[in-house]
Amino acid sequence: TGLDGHWRGLTVVATALRDAGFEIIMIGMSTVDEIVQATVDEDVDLVGLSIGGHVEVAERIIKALRDEGIDKPIFAGGVVPPWAIRRLNALDVVVHPPGSQLPDIVASAENLTGRGSPLSS
C-alpha cells in the first residue's frame, strides 16, 4: 500500500508463502481500486497487505473490498504500531508486525485459507 522502495520484508514473506505452495500475485504499489480489481480478477484466496504504518490506507482497502462484497481473509504486515494492530484486528485482519517469524506467517496463511491442518491451529 505504501512500499516506497521497502520491498525486502514483502519479498521474504512472498517467497516463504510460495515455497509453502501458495501462488503469489504481487501487484506492487497500487491504488485501492487496483487492489480491489486484482482481488476480483485473480480470484484470490487471501489478501495480503504490506502497510508500512499506513493503517488508514489499509482501512480504506478493507472497506472497499467489503463494499464490493469480497469476503476474503486479509492479513497485513510491515511496520504496524500496537494501536494500529488493535484497529486492524477489530476489522478481522490478522497482523504480522516486524519480528514475526516466517513459519508463523505461513501457518496463518494456511489457517486463513483453510489449507492448514487441524494440528497447526
Side-chain angles (χ1 to χ4, degrees):
T1 58
L3 296 174
D4 65 8
H6 295 96
W7 288 84
R8 184 174 184 197
L10 176 64
T11 302
V12 169
V13 169
T15 300
L17 291 169
R18 184 205 61 210
D19 290 350
F22 286 90
E23 178 182 356
I24 304 299
I25 301 159
M26 292 177 56
I27 59 173
M29 289 183 66
S30 305
T31 66
V32 171
D33 291 338
E34 290 168 336
I35 293 168
V36 170
Q37 192 61 52
T39 300
V40 172
D41 290 347
E42 300 294 341
D43 190 27
V44 302
D45 296 321
L46 173 66
V47 175
L49 301 173
S50 175
I51 11 185
H54 301 283
V55 69
E56 295 83 7
V57 175
E59 290 170 327
R60 285 197 306 269
I61 294 166
I62 295 159
K63 181 181 181 325
L65 289 167
R66 295 197 176 135
D67 287 350
E68 287 295 319
I70 300 166
D71 187 27
K72 302 294 182 175
I74 301 169
F75 76 164
V79 179
V80 188
W83 62 266
I85 293 172
R86 289 188 296 275
R87 279 175 44 179
L88 292 169
N89 287 162
L91 297 171
D92 294 325
V93 175
V94 175
V95 181
H96 296 283
S100 297
Q101 300 298 304
L102 289 175
D104 295 335
I105 295 170
V106 170
S108 175
E110 290 172 339
N111 289 331
L112 288 167
T113 58
R115 293 177 53 177
S117 71
L119 297 177
S120 65
S121 305

